[in-house]
Amino acid sequence: MQNSRKSEYQTKQKAQVLAYLEAHAERHVTAAELLHALTAQGTPVGAATVYRQLERLEAQGLVRRYTLDDRGSACWQYGGAEAKAGTCHSHFHLKCTCCGTLIHLDCGHLAGITEHVKQDHGFTIDPARTTFYGLCNACAETRKDAE
Amino acid sequence: MQNSRKSEYQTKQKAQVLAYLEAHAERHVTAAELLHALTAQGTPVGAATVYRQLERLEAQGLVRRYTLDDRGSACWQYGGAEAKAGTCHSHFHLKCTCCGTLIHLDCGHLAGITEHVKQDHGFTIDPARTTFYGLCNACAETRKDAE
DNA sequence: TTGCGTGCAAAGGTTTTGCATGGCA
DNA sequence: TGCCATGCAAAACCTTTGCACGCAA
């Protein structure tokens, strides 16, 4: 494996995609949304290019790809500095199934889970892939009122 | 909201789909596999019917729908008696990203997670939706050798 | 100038939907 | 008999791929 990477061009489209993901780092973004938003911005980017850029960004570890079990549409989220530094490997993520917010959870209690499961259950959890689904405070309240 | 459900017919196709899911309860089954297997069995079922049955079974809580982030293909797994009895709500699931095995994890230590996160982080985890991804013992060994 | 990145269009696959027919109650 | 479920086919949808052109280095 080599760290050296082939010459990579700096294009407007690449900058646009990355900029949008960065600007909405707290949310997950679908390919369709990205496509539509860039078009609305007056800097339309082809679908193929969007997917290719996302694929590359994912390979570089700058964004993470999620798959909501709604339909077959995937979504991406900017991990940026954290993902680059690799700090996200040591904690878990909470994702609200209602509003889609992703919460980074740095907590010693939670960190012990990985060890516990490995020791007692013989299963190596991959925190980078594991996400807790549930309801955030705001959505829990809203739903409580609704029911 | 009514608990009474409309009259539901008992058809061969429904029995076939459920039987196959039950017979492979330890695995996740894709729609394509289900379709192919039933055809091979000599009891072919239309694609539309398979999807409609899966949708219904999911609504009834008998099977769970997963989405592997590989491609846009979903997969289902029988939860059966456990899902019916609702016991799966109190524990978490471990899923091997390598072989796809699903492990039910009943553990007091893990059960405390939900409470802890709710208390300290204001987030209500839904164990029924949350799955830990990682490597099971077998796959961890295999991968260790490979690398 | 070189060759990577882009755009368009077409292909690929999965899942959904409409409509006429068949089968369960 | 009445109505639900099925099957077929077509559509919708997301994503990938091929190829020629444009643009960054």
Side-chain angles (χ1 to χ4, degrees):
Chain A
M1 195 187 291
Q2 295 193 336
N3 200 358
S4 68
R5 100 177 17 133
K6 295 200 170 185
S7 58
E8 213 170 274
Y9 290 2
Q10 205 65 16
T11 64
K12 277 178 289 185
Q13 291 85 347
K14 175 187 293 186
Q16 292 296 334
V17 170
L18 190 55
Y20 188 87
L21 287 166
E22 255 182 301
H24 301 268
E26 83 288 352
R27 288 207 346 216
H28 50 77
V29 179
T30 64
E33 177 186 341
L34 196 44
L35 216 43
H36 186 268
L38 293 182
T39 301
Q41 270 186 24
T43 54
V45 178
T49 302
V50 166
Y51 281 107
R52 280 190 272 236
Q53 282 299 342
L54 287 172
E55 185 183 339
R56 180 170 314 176
L57 289 170
E58 188 191 359
Q60 292 179 4
L62 285 174
V63 303
R64 295 242 342 250
R65 175 180 182 159
Y66 294 97
T67 307
L68 301 171
D69 38 10
D70 306 318
R71 273 249 294 290
S73 61
C75 59
W76 290 261
Q77 181 161 31
Y78 184 73
E82 289 184 351
K84 235 190 284 188
T87 57
C88 267
H89 290 239
S90 60
H91 66 253
F92 289 95
H93 293 135
L94 305 175
K95 184 182 217 168
C96 181
T97 52
C98 185
C99 65
T101 304
L102 189 73
I103 302 172
H104 296 256
L105 191 62
D106 259 315
C107 174
H109 190 244
L110 269 284
I113 292 176
T114 309
E115 275 307 310
H116 167 72
V117 173
K118 193 188 234 166
Q119 302 276 328
D120 292 18
H121 305 282
F123 189 91
T124 308
I125 293 178
D126 181 2
R129 287 210 181 199
T130 301
T131 304
F132 289 89
Y133 292 92
L135 294 175
C136 69
N137 258 342
C139 292
E141 286 300 321
T142 305
R143 196 161 283 198
K144 206 181 292 172
D145 296 343
E147 284 177 4
Chain B
M1 194 186 291
Q2 296 191 335
N3 199 355
S4 70
R5 101 176 17 133
K6 295 199 171 185
S7 59
E8 213 171 273
Y9 290 0
Q10 204 67 14
T11 63
K12 274 178 291 186
Q13 289 85 350
K14 175 187 295 186
Q16 293 296 334
V17 169
L18 190 55
Y20 188 86
L21 287 167
E22 256 182 299
H24 301 269
E26 83 288 352
R27 286 207 348 216
H28 50 77
V29 178
T30 64
E33 176 186 342
L34 196 44
L35 215 43
H36 186 270
L38 293 182
T39 301
Q41 269 185 23
T43 54
V45 178
T49 301
V50 166
Y51 281 107
R52 281 191 272 238
Q53 283 300 342
L54 286 172
E55 186 182 338
R56 179 169 313 173
L57 289 170
E58 188 191 359
Q60 292 179 3
L62 284 174
V63 303
R64 295 244 341 251
R65 175 180 180 159
Y66 294 96
T67 307
L68 302 171
D69 39 8
D70 306 320
R71 272 247 297 288
S73 62
C75 59
W76 289 261
Q77 180 161 31
Y78 184 71
E82 289 182 353
K84 235 190 285 188
T87 57
C88 267
H89 290 238
S90 60
H91 67 253
F92 290 95
H93 292 136
L94 305 175
K95 184 182 215 168
C96 181
T97 53
C98 184
C99 64
T101 305
L102 190 72
I103 303 172
H104 295 256
L105 192 62
D106 259 315
C107 174
H109 190 246
L110 270 284
I113 292 176
T114 309
E115 275 307 309
H116 167 72
V117 173
K118 192 189 233 163
Q119 302 277 329
D120 291 19
H121 304 282
F123 188 92
T124 308
I125 293 178
D126 182 0
R129 287 210 181 199
T130 301
T131 303
F132 290 89
Y133 291 93
L135 295 175
C136 70
N137 257 343
C139 291
E141 286 300 321
T142 304
R143 196 161 282 197
K144 203 183 295 173
D145 295 343
E147 282 177 6

